[in-house]
Amino acid sequence: MGTLLVRRQCHVVLVGGYAGTGKTELGRTLTRLTGWMHIDKDTITGPVVEAALEALGRPADDRESAAYLSQVRPREYEALIATAHDNVSCGAGAIVTAPFLREYADPAWLARELKRFADEGAASTVVWVTCDVESMQSHLRRRGAARDNHKLGTWDEYLASIDLGFRPLVDHVVIDTSATAEPLTTQAERLVSQIAEPV
């Protein structure tokens, strides 16, 4: 007969922010500190998104067109959040990294998904990652992803199109990855100390 294990409450951390702010690096750092699953949007959906865009007659690196925004992006986020719920419903903590720009501006989405996580037995923390524009541009150039080419090629227009003062419409934690900010590991350790259950 198997041993009965007492299931502890798990935790889900939703990590959002603009491109190049360091969401994925924060997610990896948090996973190293906690052992929770790291579910990154570009990792789990990237190849499928590229194939879908090509099937629609769009470049694989398109992230700005109406075709991507209206037809591909909703399904991309649907798959991402479903993966998070699948893990959390099994008792596995999860760090979920994606821009979450529309989602963090939608109180109904936030209320629905955070309630679903709570119903699955998970506590939730919403994180917003920010940095100065010089650091953001440097991060994008350094990672060299094709999906960033349009942003980098029209940098001034891109900056004019985003709200650098944006914050999620729910209680949240801000992590600053600017060059002059505290080390990312220090901020991540502080976040974990605030949300992780004591052993």
Side-chain angles (χ1 to χ4, degrees):
M1 187 172 177
T3 302
L4 178 64
L5 298 177
V6 177
R7 177 173 160 179
R8 296 171 55 175
Q9 183 181 40
C10 66
H11 208 106
V12 59
V13 182
L14 302 178
V15 179
Y18 287 113
T21 53
K23 301 178 297 297
T24 299
E25 185 55 36
L26 174 62
R28 291 171 177 158
T29 302
L30 291 172
T31 289
R32 292 185 192 106
L33 291 170
T34 62
W36 301 340
M37 303 293 170
H38 181 212
I39 305 171
D40 180 74
K41 177 181 73 69
D42 293 319
T43 300
I44 68 167
T45 68
V48 176
V49 166
E50 291 174 2
L53 286 165
E54 289 173 344
L56 291 169
R58 300 294 308 170
D61 60 355
D62 169 27
R63 297 298 184 276
E64 280 78 32
S65 72
Y68 168 73
L69 294 173
S70 65
Q71 297 181 61
V72 179
R73 187 189 186 282
R75 298 303 187 192
E76 183 181 21
Y77 276 79
E78 183 180 331
L80 174 74
I81 207 69
T83 304
H85 283 294
D86 195 34
N87 279 274
V88 167
S89 67
C90 295
I95 314 291
V96 189
T97 52
F100 285 121
L101 299 177
R102 291 183 179 181
E103 292 71 22
Y104 279 6
D106 182 350
W109 186 91
L110 286 164
R112 181 180 67 249
E113 298 303 334
L114 296 182
K115 182 180 185 305
R116 281 186 64 196
F117 285 125
D119 290 345
E120 292 160 352
S124 299
T125 299
V126 172
V127 174
W128 180 253
V129 185
T130 187
C131 66
D132 59 80
V133 295
E134 292 80 10
S135 297
M136 190 186 305
Q137 188 179 39
S138 175
H139 293 160
L140 290 177
R141 285 180 174 156
R142 192 163 57 245
R143 75 183 182 188
R147 66 182 179 274
D148 298 325
N149 288 343
H150 184 269
K151 294 180 181 67
L152 289 170
T154 58
W155 186 246
D156 290 340
E157 291 85 347
Y158 170 66
L159 288 181
S161 73
I162 64 176
D163 177 7
L164 295 173
F166 174 81
R167 296 293 183 269
L169 296 179
V170 69
D171 288 342
H172 61 279
V173 175
V174 174
I175 299 291
D176 187 350
T177 61
S178 301
T180 57
E182 281 185 294
L184 181 62
T185 301
T186 300
Q187 296 183 71
E189 288 173 345
R190 182 164 56 245
L191 174 59
V192 170
S193 73
Q194 293 168 351
I195 66 177
E197 293 182 35
V199 176

